[in-house]
PDB file of all heavy atoms in Angstrom:
ATOM      1  N   THR A   1      13.130  39.529  57.792  1.00 61.00           N
ATOM      2  CA  THR A   1      13.200  41.006  57.382  1.00 61.00           C
ATOM      3  C   THR A   1      14.240  41.243  56.240  1.00 61.00           C
ATOM      4  O   THR A   1      14.268  42.248  55.656  1.00 61.00           O
ATOM      5  CB  THR A   1      13.587  41.863  58.531  1.00 61.00           C
ATOM      6  OG1 THR A   1      14.944  41.393  59.034  1.00 61.00           O
ATOM      7  CG2 THR A   1      12.598  41.847  59.663  1.00 61.00           C
ATOM      8  N   GLY A   2      15.139  40.233  56.049  1.00 62.00           N
ATOM      9  CA  GLY A   2      16.257  40.429  55.113  1.00 62.00           C
ATOM     10  C   GLY A   2      17.501  41.127  55.613  1.00 62.00           C
ATOM     11  O   GLY A   2      18.561  41.224  55.034  1.00 62.00           O
ATOM     12  N   ASN A   3      17.363  41.676  56.769  1.00 60.00           N
ATOM     13  CA  ASN A   3      18.496  42.347  57.504  1.00 60.00           C
ATOM     14  C   ASN A   3      19.323  41.294  57.964  1.00 60.00           C
ATOM     15  O   ASN A   3      18.950  40.242  58.485  1.00 60.00           O
ATOM     16  CB  ASN A   3      17.965  43.240  58.588  1.00 60.00           C
ATOM     17  CG  ASN A   3      17.610  44.506  58.162  1.00 60.00           C
ATOM     18  OD1 ASN A   3      17.874  45.057  57.062  1.00 60.00           O
ATOM     19  ND2 ASN A   3      16.718  45.329  58.959  1.00 60.00           N
ATOM     20  N   LYS A   4      20.507  41.467  58.001  1.00 60.00           N
ATOM     21  CA  LYS A   4      21.639  40.570  58.823  1.00 60.00           C
ATOM     22  C   LYS A   4      21.915  41.070  60.169  1.00 60.00           C
ATOM     23  O   LYS A   4      22.375  40.377  60.857  1.00 60.00           O
ATOM     24  CB  LYS A   4      22.963  40.510  58.009  1.00 60.00           C
ATOM     25  CG  LYS A   4      22.739  39.854  56.584  1.00 60.00           C
ATOM     26  CD  LYS A   4      22.265  38.493  56.685  1.00 60.00           C
ATOM     27  CE  LYS A   4      22.005  37.867  55.335  1.00 60.00           C
ATOM     28  NZ  LYS A   4      21.151  36.720  55.306  1.00 60.00           N
ATOM     29  N   SER A   5      21.379  42.301  60.409  1.00 65.00           N
ATOM     30  CA  SER A   5      21.615  42.825  61.836  1.00 65.00           C
ATOM     31  C   SER A   5      20.594  42.078  62.750  1.00 65.00           C
ATOM     32  O   SER A   5      19.771  41.387  62.429  1.00 65.00           O
ATOM     33  CB  SER A   5      21.297  44.288  61.811  1.00 65.00           C
ATOM     34  OG  SER A   5      19.936  44.632  61.404  1.00 65.00           O
ATOM     35  N   PRO A   6      20.640  42.351  64.106  1.00 72.00           N
ATOM     36  CA  PRO A   6      19.750  41.756  64.961  1.00 72.00           C
ATOM     37  C   PRO A   6      18.257  41.915  64.587  1.00 72.00           C
ATOM     38  O   PRO A   6      17.857  42.953  64.232  1.00 72.00           O
ATOM     39  CB  PRO A   6      20.070  42.388  66.352  1.00 72.00           C
ATOM     40  CG  PRO A   6      21.459  42.971  66.232  1.00 72.00           C
ATOM     41  CD  PRO A   6      21.450  43.254  64.748  1.00 72.00           C
ATOM     42  N   MET A   7      17.544  40.810  64.721  1.00 84.00           N
ATOM     43  CA  MET A   7      16.219  40.759  64.273  1.00 84.00           C
ATOM     44  C   MET A   7      15.161  41.241  65.395  1.00 84.00           C
ATOM     45  O   MET A   7      14.106  41.500  65.227  1.00 84.00           O
ATOM     46  CB  MET A   7      15.810  39.375  63.805  1.00 84.00           C
ATOM     47  CG  MET A   7      16.645  38.871  62.669  1.00 84.00           C
ATOM     48  SD  MET A   7      16.014  37.398  61.928  1.00 84.00           S
ATOM     49  CE  MET A   7      14.618  38.104  60.995  1.00 84.00           C
ATOM     50  N   GLY A   8      15.855  41.242  66.581  1.00 90.00           N
ATOM     51  CA  GLY A   8      14.939  41.688  67.679  1.00 90.00           C
ATOM     52  C   GLY A   8      15.687  41.245  68.977  1.00 90.00           C
ATOM     53  O   GLY A   8      16.812  41.098  69.002  1.00 90.00           O
ATOM     54  N   LYS A   9      15.020  41.411  70.149  1.00 94.00           N
ATOM     55  CA  LYS A   9      15.554  41.100  71.346  1.00 94.00           C
ATOM     56  C   LYS A   9      14.506  40.421  72.256  1.00 94.00           C
ATOM     57  O   LYS A   9      13.170  40.642  72.121  1.00 94.00           O
ATOM     58  CB  LYS A   9      16.098  42.318  72.059  1.00 94.00           C
ATOM     59  CG  LYS A   9      15.281  43.433  72.287  1.00 94.00           C
ATOM     60  CD  LYS A   9      16.105  44.723  72.870  1.00 94.00           C
ATOM     61  CE  LYS A   9      15.153  45.804  72.939  1.00 94.00           C
ATOM     62  NZ  LYS A   9      15.984  47.039  73.525  1.00 94.00           N
ATOM     63  N   LEU A  10      15.056  39.717  73.260  1.00 96.00           N
ATOM     64  CA  LEU A  10      14.212  39.125  74.180  1.00 96.00           C
ATOM     65  C   LEU A  10      14.669  39.691  75.641  1.00 96.00           C
ATOM     66  O   LEU A  10      15.793  39.481  75.924  1.00 96.00           O
ATOM     67  CB  LEU A  10      14.289  37.611  74.340  1.00 96.00           C
ATOM     68  CG  LEU A  10      13.357  36.881  75.215  1.00 96.00           C
ATOM     69  CD1 LEU A  10      12.015  36.727  74.613  1.00 96.00           C
ATOM     70  CD2 LEU A  10      13.949  35.657  75.719  1.00 96.00           C
ATOM     71  N   LEU A  11      13.745  40.269  76.381  1.00 97.00           N
ATOM     72  CA  LEU A  11      14.040  40.948  77.543  1.00 97.00           C
ATOM     73  C   LEU A  11      13.483  40.074  78.776  1.00 97.00           C
ATOM     74  O   LEU A  11      12.406  39.726  78.554  1.00 97.00           O
ATOM     75  CB  LEU A  11      13.577  42.253  77.634  1.00 97.00           C
ATOM     76  CG  LEU A  11      13.969  43.206  76.707  1.00 97.00           C
ATOM     77  CD1 LEU A  11      13.196  44.561  76.658  1.00 97.00           C
ATOM     78  CD2 LEU A  11      15.429  43.586  76.950  1.00 97.00           C
ATOM     79  N   ILE A  12      14.137  39.915  79.813  1.00 97.00           N
ATOM     80  CA  ILE A  12      13.578  39.228  81.022  1.00 97.00           C
ATOM     81  C   ILE A  12      13.566  40.290  82.192  1.00 97.00           C
ATOM     82  O   ILE A  12      14.725  40.888  82.425  1.00 97.00           O
ATOM     83  CB  ILE A  12      14.376  37.994  81.393  1.00 97.00           C
ATOM     84  CG1 ILE A  12      14.242  37.044  80.297  1.00 97.00           C
ATOM     85  CG2 ILE A  12      13.818  37.432  82.783  1.00 97.00           C
ATOM     86  CD1 ILE A  12      15.100  35.726  80.475  1.00 97.00           C
ATOM     87  N   PHE A  13      12.592  40.517  82.742  1.00 96.00           N
ATOM     88  CA  PHE A  13      12.492  41.518  83.833  1.00 96.00           C
ATOM     89  C   PHE A  13      11.635  40.900  84.962  1.00 96.00           C
ATOM     90  O   PHE A  13      10.879  40.012  84.845  1.00 96.00           O
ATOM     91  CB  PHE A  13      11.988  42.830  83.190  1.00 96.00           C
ATOM     92  CG  PHE A  13      10.698  42.740  82.546  1.00 96.00           C
ATOM     93  CD1 PHE A  13       9.537  43.137  83.095  1.00 96.00           C
ATOM     94  CD2 PHE A  13      10.697  42.514  81.237  1.00 96.00           C
ATOM     95  CE1 PHE A  13       8.281  43.061  82.361  1.00 96.00           C
ATOM     96  CE2 PHE A  13       9.562  42.541  80.477  1.00 96.00           C
ATOM     97  CZ  PHE A  13       8.300  42.860  81.046  1.00 96.00           C
ATOM     98  N   ASN A  14      11.956  41.632  86.138  1.00 97.00           N
ATOM     99  CA  ASN A  14      11.239  41.178  87.351  1.00 97.00           C
ATOM    100  C   ASN A  14       9.926  41.975  87.657  1.00 97.00           C
ATOM    101  O   ASN A  14       9.512  42.839  86.689  1.00 97.00           O
ATOM    102  CB  ASN A  14      12.150  41.342  88.533  1.00 97.00           C
ATOM    103  CG  ASN A  14      12.596  42.768  88.708  1.00 97.00           C
ATOM    104  OD1 ASN A  14      11.989  43.729  88.372  1.00 97.00           O
ATOM    105  ND2 ASN A  14      13.723  42.992  89.356  1.00 97.00           N
ATOM    106  N   VAL A  15       9.250  41.746  88.666  1.00 95.00           N
ATOM    107  CA  VAL A  15       7.941  42.393  88.986  1.00 95.00           C
ATOM    108  C   VAL A  15       8.032  43.789  89.070  1.00 95.00           C
ATOM    109  O   VAL A  15       6.945  44.599  89.099  1.00 95.00           O
ATOM    110  CB  VAL A  15       7.179  41.708  90.103  1.00 95.00           C
ATOM    111  CG1 VAL A  15       6.841  40.207  89.693  1.00 95.00           C
ATOM    112  CG2 VAL A  15       7.960  41.784  91.425  1.00 95.00           C
ATOM    113  N   LEU A  16       9.365  44.302  89.365  1.00 96.00           N
ATOM    114  CA  LEU A  16       9.500  45.837  89.458  1.00 96.00           C
ATOM    115  C   LEU A  16       9.771  46.435  88.061  1.00 96.00           C
ATOM    116  O   LEU A  16      10.103  47.593  88.092  1.00 96.00           O
ATOM    117  CB  LEU A  16      10.609  46.105  90.473  1.00 96.00           C
ATOM    118  CG  LEU A  16      10.365  45.494  91.913  1.00 96.00           C
ATOM    119  CD1 LEU A  16      11.527  45.704  92.726  1.00 96.00           C
ATOM    120  CD2 LEU A  16       9.124  46.156  92.555  1.00 96.00           C
ATOM    121  N   SER A  17       9.598  45.669  87.087  1.00 94.00           N
ATOM    122  CA  SER A  17       9.935  46.190  85.829  1.00 94.00           C
ATOM    123  C   SER A  17      11.383  46.367  85.488  1.00 94.00           C
ATOM    124  O   SER A  17      11.768  47.094  84.606  1.00 94.00           O
ATOM    125  CB  SER A  17       9.164  47.368  85.319  1.00 94.00           C
ATOM    126  OG  SER A  17       7.694  47.066  85.304  1.00 94.00           O
ATOM    127  N   GLU A  18      12.245  45.777  86.308  1.00 95.00           N
ATOM    128  CA  GLU A  18      13.728  46.006  86.135  1.00 95.00           C
ATOM    129  C   GLU A  18      14.180  44.929  85.192  1.00 95.00           C
ATOM    130  O   GLU A  18      13.858  43.678  85.482  1.00 95.00           O
ATOM    131  CB  GLU A  18      14.554  45.914  87.489  1.00 95.00           C
ATOM    132  CG  GLU A  18      14.051  46.845  88.553  1.00 95.00           C
ATOM    133  CD  GLU A  18      14.526  46.682  89.846  1.00 95.00           C
ATOM    134  OE1 GLU A  18      14.730  45.462  90.230  1.00 95.00           O
ATOM    135  OE2 GLU A  18      14.769  47.719  90.621  1.00 95.00           O
ATOM    136  N   VAL A  19      14.989  45.254  84.136  1.00 96.00           N
ATOM    137  CA  VAL A  19      15.640  44.375  83.302  1.00 96.00           C
ATOM    138  C   VAL A  19      16.550  43.421  83.887  1.00 96.00           C
ATOM    139  O   VAL A  19      17.560  43.936  84.511  1.00 96.00           O
ATOM    140  CB  VAL A  19      16.060  44.975  82.039  1.00 96.00           C
ATOM    141  CG1 VAL A  19      16.719  43.940  81.095  1.00 96.00           C
ATOM    142  CG2 VAL A  19      15.128  45.679  81.314  1.00 96.00           C
ATOM    143  N   VAL A  20      16.372  42.171  83.878  1.00 97.00           N
ATOM    144  CA  VAL A  20      17.207  41.342  84.632  1.00 97.00           C
ATOM    145  C   VAL A  20      18.332  40.646  83.564  1.00 97.00           C
ATOM    146  O   VAL A  20      19.536  40.545  83.947  1.00 97.00           O
ATOM    147  CB  VAL A  20      16.523  40.046  85.177  1.00 97.00           C
ATOM    148  CG1 VAL A  20      17.375  38.928  85.813  1.00 97.00           C
ATOM    149  CG2 VAL A  20      15.485  40.514  86.319  1.00 97.00           C
ATOM    150  N   ARG A  21      17.831  40.446  82.336  1.00 97.00           N
ATOM    151  CA  ARG A  21      18.600  39.812  81.397  1.00 97.00           C
ATOM    152  C   ARG A  21      18.206  40.213  80.028  1.00 97.00           C
ATOM    153  O   ARG A  21      16.897  40.312  79.818  1.00 97.00           O
ATOM    154  CB  ARG A  21      18.673  38.324  81.480  1.00 97.00           C
ATOM    155  CG  ARG A  21      19.699  37.503  80.664  1.00 97.00           C
ATOM    156  CD  ARG A  21      20.898  37.404  81.484  1.00 97.00           C
ATOM    157  NE  ARG A  21      21.922  36.752  80.602  1.00 97.00           N
ATOM    158  CZ  ARG A  21      22.377  35.529  80.697  1.00 97.00           C
ATOM    159  NH1 ARG A  21      21.713  34.845  81.489  1.00 97.00           N
ATOM    160  NH2 ARG A  21      23.078  35.018  79.796  1.00 97.00           N
ATOM    161  N   GLU A  22      19.030  40.363  79.084  1.00 96.00           N
ATOM    162  CA  GLU A  22      18.663  40.758  77.670  1.00 96.00           C
ATOM    163  C   GLU A  22      19.403  39.768  76.645  1.00 96.00           C
ATOM    164  O   GLU A  22      20.583  39.581  76.768  1.00 96.00           O
ATOM    165  CB  GLU A  22      18.978  42.183  77.293  1.00 96.00           C
ATOM    166  CG  GLU A  22      18.514  42.687  75.975  1.00 96.00           C
ATOM    167  CD  GLU A  22      18.757  44.241  75.772  1.00 96.00           C
ATOM    168  OE1 GLU A  22      18.652  44.806  76.917  1.00 96.00           O
ATOM    169  OE2 GLU A  22      19.013  44.533  74.700  1.00 96.00           O
ATOM    170  N   PHE A  23      18.540  39.368  75.739  1.00 96.00           N
ATOM    171  CA  PHE A  23      19.128  38.563  74.674  1.00 96.00           C
ATOM    172  C   PHE A  23      18.898  39.103  73.175  1.00 96.00           C
ATOM    173  O   PHE A  23      17.880  39.459  72.962  1.00 96.00           O
ATOM    174  CB  PHE A  23      18.517  37.140  74.639  1.00 96.00           C
ATOM    175  CG  PHE A  23      18.731  36.250  75.815  1.00 96.00           C
ATOM    176  CD1 PHE A  23      17.801  36.430  76.939  1.00 96.00           C
ATOM    177  CD2 PHE A  23      19.943  35.430  76.139  1.00 96.00           C
ATOM    178  CE1 PHE A  23      18.113  35.708  78.195  1.00 96.00           C
ATOM    179  CE2 PHE A  23      20.082  34.718  77.296  1.00 96.00           C
ATOM    180  CZ  PHE A  23      19.116  34.810  78.261  1.00 96.00           C
ATOM    181  N   GLU A  24      20.024  39.208  72.480  1.00 94.00           N
ATOM    182  CA  GLU A  24      19.996  39.690  71.019  1.00 94.00           C
ATOM    183  C   GLU A  24      19.557  38.633  70.178  1.00 94.00           C
ATOM    184  O   GLU A  24      20.170  37.495  70.260  1.00 94.00           O
ATOM    185  CB  GLU A  24      21.254  40.314  70.649  1.00 94.00           C
ATOM    186  CG  GLU A  24      21.300  40.977  69.338  1.00 94.00           C
ATOM    187  CD  GLU A  24      22.663  41.478  69.051  1.00 94.00           C
ATOM    188  OE1 GLU A  24      22.859  42.697  69.585  1.00 94.00           O
ATOM    189  OE2 GLU A  24      23.392  40.862  68.404  1.00 94.00           O
ATOM    190  N   LEU A  25      18.579  38.717  69.427  1.00 92.00           N
ATOM    191  CA  LEU A  25      18.075  37.695  68.455  1.00 92.00           C
ATOM    192  C   LEU A  25      18.618  37.967  67.105  1.00 92.00           C
ATOM    193  O   LEU A  25      18.299  38.887  66.605  1.00 92.00           O
ATOM    194  CB  LEU A  25      16.623  37.578  68.502  1.00 92.00           C
ATOM    195  CG  LEU A  25      15.856  37.591  69.955  1.00 92.00           C
ATOM    196  CD1 LEU A  25      14.419  37.588  69.824  1.00 92.00           C
ATOM    197  CD2 LEU A  25      16.373  36.183  70.582  1.00 92.00           C
ATOM    198  N   THR A  26      19.393  37.030  66.634  1.00 90.00           N
ATOM    199  CA  THR A  26      20.022  37.077  65.404  1.00 90.00           C
ATOM    200  C   THR A  26      19.454  36.151  64.277  1.00 90.00           C
ATOM    201  O   THR A  26      19.643  36.250  63.088  1.00 90.00           O
ATOM    202  CB  THR A  26      21.456  36.923  65.450  1.00 90.00           C
ATOM    203  OG1 THR A  26      21.732  35.629  65.890  1.00 90.00           O
ATOM    204  CG2 THR A  26      22.176  37.955  66.316  1.00 90.00           C
ATOM    205  N   GLU A  27      18.520  35.195  64.751  1.00 89.00           N
ATOM    206  CA  GLU A  27      17.869  34.267  63.830  1.00 89.00           C
ATOM    207  C   GLU A  27      16.382  34.648  63.816  1.00 89.00           C
ATOM    208  O   GLU A  27      15.774  35.129  64.863  1.00 89.00           O
ATOM    209  CB  GLU A  27      18.056  32.942  64.332  1.00 89.00           C
ATOM    210  CG  GLU A  27      19.577  32.553  64.434  1.00 89.00           C
ATOM    211  CD  GLU A  27      20.229  32.384  63.072  1.00 89.00           C
ATOM    212  OE1 GLU A  27      19.539  31.979  62.055  1.00 89.00           O
ATOM    213  OE2 GLU A  27      21.430  32.701  62.999  1.00 89.00           O
ATOM    214  N   ASN A  28      15.642  34.344  62.823  1.00 89.00           N
ATOM    215  CA  ASN A  28      14.140  34.625  62.768  1.00 89.00           C
ATOM    216  C   ASN A  28      13.331  33.563  63.471  1.00 89.00           C
ATOM    217  O   ASN A  28      12.163  33.786  63.798  1.00 89.00           O
ATOM    218  CB  ASN A  28      13.791  34.706  61.373  1.00 89.00           C
ATOM    219  CG  ASN A  28      13.671  33.400  60.554  1.00 89.00           C
ATOM    220  OD1 ASN A  28      14.608  32.697  60.602  1.00 89.00           O
ATOM    221  ND2 ASN A  28      12.677  33.203  59.719  1.00 89.00           N
ATOM    222  N   GLU A  29      14.040  32.466  63.889  1.00 92.00           N
ATOM    223  CA  GLU A  29      13.322  31.458  64.730  1.00 92.00           C
ATOM    224  C   GLU A  29      14.380  30.750  65.521  1.00 92.00           C
ATOM    225  O   GLU A  29      15.549  30.525  65.062  1.00 92.00           O
ATOM    226  CB  GLU A  29      12.734  30.368  63.692  1.00 92.00           C
ATOM    227  CG  GLU A  29      11.962  29.199  64.318  1.00 92.00           C
ATOM    228  CD  GLU A  29      11.283  28.431  63.365  1.00 92.00           C
ATOM    229  OE1 GLU A  29      11.144  28.757  62.199  1.00 92.00           O
ATOM    230  OE2 GLU A  29      10.789  27.346  63.770  1.00 92.00           O
ATOM    231  N   GLY A  30      13.944  30.453  66.793  1.00 93.00           N
ATOM    232  CA  GLY A  30      14.863  29.854  67.722  1.00 93.00           C
ATOM    233  C   GLY A  30      14.488  29.792  69.096  1.00 93.00           C
ATOM    234  O   GLY A  30      13.285  29.941  69.274  1.00 93.00           O
ATOM    235  N   SER A  31      15.436  29.322  69.987  1.00 96.00           N
ATOM    236  CA  SER A  31      15.112  29.203  71.379  1.00 96.00           C
ATOM    237  C   SER A  31      16.173  29.917  72.163  1.00 96.00           C
ATOM    238  O   SER A  31      17.340  30.025  71.913  1.00 96.00           O
ATOM    239  CB  SER A  31      15.116  27.714  71.764  1.00 96.00           C
ATOM    240  OG  SER A  31      14.152  27.009  71.084  1.00 96.00           O
ATOM    241  N   ILE A  32      15.704  30.369  73.327  1.00 95.00           N
ATOM    242  CA  ILE A  32      16.555  30.909  74.325  1.00 95.00           C
ATOM    243  C   ILE A  32      16.481  30.078  75.554  1.00 95.00           C
ATOM    244  O   ILE A  32      15.475  29.742  75.995  1.00 95.00           O
ATOM    245  CB  ILE A  32      16.201  32.442  74.781  1.00 95.00           C
ATOM    246  CG1 ILE A  32      16.246  33.266  73.506  1.00 95.00           C
ATOM    247  CG2 ILE A  32      16.988  32.947  75.902  1.00 95.00           C
ATOM    248  CD1 ILE A  32      17.573  33.651  72.953  1.00 95.00           C
ATOM    249  N   LEU A  33      17.624  29.794  76.097  1.00 96.00           N
ATOM    250  CA  LEU A  33      17.729  28.899  77.301  1.00 96.00           C
ATOM    251  C   LEU A  33      18.165  29.871  78.391  1.00 96.00           C
ATOM    252  O   LEU A  33      19.322  30.450  78.350  1.00 96.00           O
ATOM    253  CB  LEU A  33      18.692  27.742  77.166  1.00 96.00           C
ATOM    254  CG  LEU A  33      18.719  26.698  78.239  1.00 96.00           C
ATOM    255  CD1 LEU A  33      17.357  26.076  78.550  1.00 96.00           C
ATOM    256  CD2 LEU A  33      19.844  25.710  78.070  1.00 96.00           C
ATOM    257  N   TRP A  34      17.296  30.127  79.357  1.00 97.00           N
ATOM    258  CA  TRP A  34      17.737  31.010  80.509  1.00 97.00           C
ATOM    259  C   TRP A  34      17.967  30.212  81.668  1.00 97.00           C
ATOM    260  O   TRP A  34      17.078  29.480  82.072  1.00 97.00           O
ATOM    261  CB  TRP A  34      16.627  32.071  80.670  1.00 97.00           C
ATOM    262  CG  TRP A  34      17.002  33.062  81.764  1.00 97.00           C
ATOM    263  CD1 TRP A  34      18.078  33.763  81.768  1.00 97.00           C
ATOM    264  CD2 TRP A  34      16.121  33.449  82.786  1.00 97.00           C
ATOM    265  NE1 TRP A  34      18.037  34.569  82.925  1.00 97.00           N
ATOM    266  CE2 TRP A  34      16.862  34.461  83.626  1.00 97.00           C
ATOM    267  CE3 TRP A  34      14.824  33.108  83.306  1.00 97.00           C
ATOM    268  CZ2 TRP A  34      16.339  35.028  84.796  1.00 97.00           C
ATOM    269  CZ3 TRP A  34      14.334  33.867  84.491  1.00 97.00           C
ATOM    270  CH2 TRP A  34      14.990  34.724  85.078  1.00 97.00           C
ATOM    271  N   ASN A  35      19.063  30.394  82.320  1.00 96.00           N
ATOM    272  CA  ASN A  35      19.468  29.657  83.509  1.00 96.00           C
ATOM    273  C   ASN A  35      19.214  30.370  84.804  1.00 96.00           C
ATOM    274  O   ASN A  35      19.817  30.057  85.745  1.00 96.00           O
ATOM    275  CB  ASN A  35      20.955  29.336  83.262  1.00 96.00           C
ATOM    276  CG  ASN A  35      21.806  30.517  83.327  1.00 96.00           C
ATOM    277  OD1 ASN A  35      21.365  31.678  83.332  1.00 96.00           O
ATOM    278  ND2 ASN A  35      23.115  30.257  83.194  1.00 96.00           N
ATOM    279  N   GLY A  36      18.332  31.410  84.732  1.00 96.00           N
ATOM    280  CA  GLY A  36      18.046  32.041  86.037  1.00 96.00           C
ATOM    281  C   GLY A  36      19.020  32.855  86.556  1.00 96.00           C
ATOM    282  O   GLY A  36      19.045  33.191  87.764  1.00 96.00           O
ATOM    283  N   THR A  37      19.866  33.479  85.600  1.00 96.00           N
ATOM    284  CA  THR A  37      20.906  34.467  86.072  1.00 96.00           C
ATOM    285  C   THR A  37      20.686  35.800  85.419  1.00 96.00           C
ATOM    286  O   THR A  37      20.076  35.931  84.466  1.00 96.00           O
ATOM    287  CB  THR A  37      22.310  33.850  85.763  1.00 96.00           C
ATOM    288  OG1 THR A  37      22.452  33.786  84.286  1.00 96.00           O
ATOM    289  CG2 THR A  37      22.701  32.635  86.328  1.00 96.00           C
ATOM    290  N   ASP A  38      21.215  36.739  86.264  1.00 96.00           N
ATOM    291  CA  ASP A  38      21.089  38.156  85.748  1.00 96.00           C
ATOM    292  C   ASP A  38      22.239  38.493  84.829  1.00 96.00           C
ATOM    293  O   ASP A  38      23.086  37.618  84.405  1.00 96.00           O
ATOM    294  CB  ASP A  38      20.991  39.127  86.895  1.00 96.00           C
ATOM    295  CG  ASP A  38      22.253  39.227  87.618  1.00 96.00           C
ATOM    296  OD1 ASP A  38      23.211  38.707  87.240  1.00 96.00           O
ATOM    297  OD2 ASP A  38      22.242  39.909  88.757  1.00 96.00           O
TER     298      ASP A  38
END
């Protein structure tokens, strides 16, 4: 996008639609390693 601000976010939520974890994405391509914690 050309922005240096966060490019997006990755949300992890449970079957009740409750957000368990949120990751701010600052790169246009990458990986998130989730260790199963809230």
Side-chain angles (χ1 to χ4, degrees):
T1 63
N3 281 342
K4 295 297 178 199
S5 60
M7 301 191 75
K9 59 185 171 179
L10 184 87
L11 302 165
I12 298 175
F13 51 98
N14 61 24
V15 294
L16 301 175
S17 297
E18 299 167 330
V19 174
V20 172
R21 190 83 184 264
E22 183 174 328
F23 297 91
E24 186 177 277
L25 306 177
T26 57
E27 302 292 326
N28 68 317
E29 184 174 346
S31 299
I32 298 295
L33 185 64
W34 184 47
N35 61 0
T37 59
D38 66 13

